[in-house]
Amino acid sequence: MKRIFTCLLMGLCMTVCAVKAQAGTSLFVFVDENGTVLEDGATVVRDVVELDAEGQQIIKSGISVKSNGASASDYLRVHYEVQQLDNGSYQICFPATCNYQSEVGSYQTGIGQLMGNSQDIMSEWFLEDDGTCLVKLTIETLVKQAGFPPQYETTGFGPTLTIKFVKGASESIPGDVNDDHEVNITDVNVVIDMILNPGGGNMKCDVNGDNEVNITDVNALIDIILNTN
């Protein structure tokens, strides 16, 4: 039964990868602090606490929006859903204004253009205590219409990105190879990606602890998923 389930999961993972490969048509993409393009639907976890100029605790996302073939006539805004906010406030500054939210809900930024080829969206959690802030971002692409006052026509949505800000001691979760504090099909995809593209440095993919990353780690991860209540 486990072998059948493994084959089904691997088939699903391959299908997901193929669909993602065909869907790379967004005019704007999210990138991390290293300039790496983040996949549509990805989750990133941020847990580095800093102090701002006023001594307030802050965790920064380090996420920017980058042009992916957008022209001078393309505009954008970011829709954001604050799904969890244990304390403090969430800030997003983009494209040219800053919005602050102190409760969960769905919001959006103003409409504008990137200042350059890429722009930091300054997505940050100003925290007051341990906890979690969970925010889902979605890019809306628009074109400006002729006339005054200016009108905009939506041409598409996506990609999406979930940012999980975390403060507080937490134990490592067995099988959580992508550090999003959950164990699910996304972790299986990460292990399979490392098997297909060896040479990566994520040794959390060695789920069974035998110092190798192979199909046995996929089976071990499936066991964890099936036996997690």
Side-chain angles (χ1 to χ4, degrees):
M1 179 64 182
K2 184 170 70 177
R3 290 183 178 179
I4 295 174
F5 188 60
T6 301
C7 292
L8 290 173
L9 277 176
M10 291 187 69
L12 175 61
C13 294
M14 298 305 178
T15 301
V16 169
C17 291
V19 169
K20 287 180 178 179
Q22 295 173 6
T25 57
S26 299
L27 293 178
F28 301 96
V29 292
F30 291 111
V31 297
D32 64 16
E33 57 269 39
N34 299 313
T36 302
V37 175
L38 300 167
E39 290 187 352
D40 183 19
T43 297
V44 297
V45 179
R46 297 293 185 254
D47 58 6
V48 177
V49 180
E50 305 176 29
L51 295 179
D52 67 5
E54 299 178 354
Q56 168 71 48
Q57 292 187 98
I58 182 175
I59 299 180
K60 301 177 181 179
S61 71
I63 300 298
S64 298
V65 175
K66 181 179 180 181
S67 170
N68 189 37
S71 68
S73 62
D74 293 310
Y75 287 70
L76 74 160
R77 65 180 161 195
V78 175
H79 294 256
Y80 59 104
E81 181 183 356
V82 182
Q83 301 176 333
Q84 181 177 348
L85 187 62
D86 289 345
N87 58 71
S89 61
Y90 170 74
Q91 168 187 273
I92 182 169
C93 293
F94 188 84
T97 58
C98 292
N99 296 350
Y100 295 87
Q101 310 300 342
S102 57
E103 58 184 30
V104 298
S106 297
Y107 310 94
Q108 62 187 28
T109 68
I111 298 173
Q113 293 181 298
L114 294 183
M115 293 184 287
N117 188 53
S118 64
Q119 181 180 337
D120 180 5
I121 63 174
M122 293 182 66
S123 175
E124 303 162 335
W125 178 34
F126 289 86
L127 60 150
E128 299 172 355
D129 205 343
D130 291 0
T132 297
C133 174
L134 188 66
V135 183
K136 181 178 180 181
L137 310 177
T138 302
I139 295 175
E140 178 186 6
T141 306
L142 312 98
V143 292
K144 189 176 183 180
Q145 304 296 301
F148 185 84
Q151 300 292 320
Y152 299 88
E153 178 184 353
T154 299
T155 58
F157 288 89
T160 64
L161 175 70
T162 299
I163 306 174
K164 193 169 189 176
F165 302 92
V166 180
K167 187 201 173 187
S170 60
E171 296 181 1
S172 177
I173 303 174
D176 178 23
V177 300
N178 66 347
D179 290 321
D180 67 352
H181 302 273
E182 298 178 3
V183 181
N184 50 37
I185 188 65
T186 304
D187 298 289
V188 177
N189 276 332
V190 173
V191 175
I192 291 174
D193 283 343
M194 189 166 179
I195 293 172
L196 295 177
N197 301 285
N202 185 2
M203 288 313 296
K204 286 191 175 182
C205 290
D206 179 22
V207 180
N208 65 354
D210 65 355
N211 296 317
E212 296 182 7
V213 179
N214 50 38
I215 192 62
T216 60
D217 296 293
V218 175
N219 286 333
L221 187 49
I222 291 170
D223 282 339
I224 293 172
I225 294 173
L226 291 177
N227 290 291
T228 299
N229 296 323

